[in-house]
Amino acid sequence: MKVIVIGAGVLGVSVARQLAVGGEEVLLVDQSGAGTGTTATTFAWTNSSRKHDPDYHRLNLAGMQEHARLAGQLPGAQSYFPSGALQWADSANEEWLADNVARLQSLGYPARWITPAEATRIAGDLRVPGTITSCAHFPSEGYVLPELFMANLLADAEQHGARLAFGEVVAIHDRADGVSVTLAGGEVVKGDRAVLAAGRWTRQLAAGAGIDIPMVTDTGRGSQPVGLLGYARTPALDLRCVIHTPGLNLRPATGGQTVLQALDLNRDVDPANPPSAGGTLARTLAERFSALLPEPGPAPEIDLRIGIRSLPADGHSIAGYASDRSRVYCLVSHSGITLAPILGRLAAGEITTDQEQDLLRPFRPTRFTGAQRAATEADQRATALGEQ
């Protein structure tokens, strides 16, 4: 079977790798290169902390478990770190954190209360401010270094025969006997199946093939898909896990760098007018970061990146064919880092065997068929402690 995978983000490369490992002929097509879209601007926290829907919670749990399994199979340097995560609450957030810990514990999700002293030992080179009133530890969570993870996935996919080609897909033709994909230069590529994993470009490409994939597509100032990340080059820290505080989320990056996220600042981010390294948003990130450092020092050096998330309209992943007759398998998620390994394996299994995977049944694109758009739309702005 020849499968054309459109989009070389973390979902596309994950399913391409699984198909190639299974012996299928795989062509991976991307307009700008592997991991250069949303995957390059993700906080990359692996978790199922705020997934209230039971089916979505189970899928994310499976994603966390699949990361551990996959880590033993990929080549290259370590890219997945089951480090655990911390959440620190102040008086304004402590009730929210208590409710979430109780909810997760009732589901059997590892969550425990710890002292500020223990939180400091787990965190590494950070201090717990005096305003923090409670600390919770989530030992099964972790993080991914996206660049390394993508490099490892792609290397393994290519080692098993997958090919990466550069080109802008302008049309997908979904036929009873297979698919054909037209590139901007006029080249037409034919295959038995196509996987549409083009992130935030999925809706437009799907529409051209007569497939409706409802997504949040507004990318204006403060819109739901828009998010800001800071990459602190200095000071170099020995940060040991993911940390969520009332004003700042942090995770380790390569070379002692730290990825910073302040969710309340997203409302002021305009992709058409990106914030400068010396502007108000950068200064705010630096001030909040400095307040968590163990010793005073020079102002941190922080680079800024704007991310545009891939948001299905109802907030849940999309995985499956558009209809019983379709040969185009659609794959979209804004939990891409957590879910990529499990979605890649399960989607590849469905494509090659036509056997339905139970975990994916609630996430078919057909769930939107006939539904009023207003009934499927969810506000997905992440603003509170522990949200994404």
Side-chain angles (χ1 to χ4, degrees), residues 48-303:
S48 190
S49 179
R50 294 290 293 164
K51 310 300 191 294
H52 290 283
D53 178 83
D55 293 322
Y56 201 39
H57 179 67
R58 283 191 292 271
L59 184 62
N60 279 266
L61 287 178
M64 296 164 68
Q65 295 162 1
E66 193 72 12
H67 265 289
R69 188 189 69 83
L70 183 60
Q73 301 178 2
L74 291 180
Q78 181 181 2
S79 59
Y80 163 63
F81 297 82
S83 63
L86 297 172
Q87 293 187 15
W88 303 347
D90 56 17
S91 58
N93 294 281
E94 61 183 4
E95 183 178 356
W96 182 96
L97 181 57
D99 289 344
N100 197 44
V101 168
R103 180 184 66 84
L104 291 172
Q105 287 177 336
S106 73
L107 297 172
Y109 190 88
R112 65 188 185 99
W113 295 107
I114 59 174
T115 65
E118 190 175 2
T120 301
R121 290 195 298 271
I122 294 170
D125 285 348
L126 287 185
R127 69 179 187 90
V128 180
T131 55
I132 297 301
T133 57
S134 56
C135 303
H137 182 220
F138 304 87
S140 66
E141 298 178 358
Y143 67 94
V144 165
L145 298 178
E147 298 87 351
L148 277 176
F149 186 52
M150 286 294 298
N152 294 346
L153 282 170
L154 184 59
D156 205 41
E158 292 181 326
Q159 183 178 343
H160 285 87
R163 293 187 299 117
L164 173 63
F166 296 99
E168 180 186 357
V169 174
V170 295
I172 304 168
H173 300 281
D174 188 4
R175 310 186 314 269
D177 60 342
V179 294
S180 61
V181 173
T182 304
L183 305 182
E187 180 183 359
V188 177
V189 183
K190 295 183 178 181
D192 301 293
R193 299 286 190 278
V195 177
L196 181 51
R200 63 181 182 270
W201 297 278
T202 296
R203 182 180 180 181
Q204 179 180 350
L205 285 171
I211 299 169
D212 183 24
I213 302 293
M215 295 179 65
V216 182
T217 56
D218 178 18
T219 58
R221 178 187 178 94
S223 62
Q224 293 183 53
V226 173
L228 180 70
L229 290 180
Y231 291 76
R233 292 180 279 114
T234 64
L237 296 183
D238 177 24
L239 190 65
R240 298 171 188 165
C241 68
V242 177
I243 300 167
H244 302 265
T245 79
L248 197 66
N249 299 332
L250 311 93
R251 75 153 167 87
T254 55
Q257 297 185 71
T258 305
V259 177
L260 310 174
Q261 181 187 58
L263 296 171
D264 61 306
L265 300 185
N266 289 343
R267 65 175 179 266
D268 297 318
V269 177
D270 184 358
N273 185 24
S276 68
T280 301
L281 296 183
R283 288 196 300 272
T284 301
L285 277 178
E287 290 167 1
R288 294 183 187 182
F289 186 35
S290 296
L292 299 174
L293 298 177
E295 301 291 342
E301 298 178 1
I302 300 174
D303 299 321

Side-chain angles (χ1 to χ4, degrees), residues 19-44:
L19 288 164
V21 168
E24 308 302 332
E25 181 183 355
V26 179
L27 176 64
L28 184 61
V29 182
D30 195 275
Q31 62 181 341
S32 56
T36 58
T38 301
T39 303
T41 52
T42 172
F43 189 64

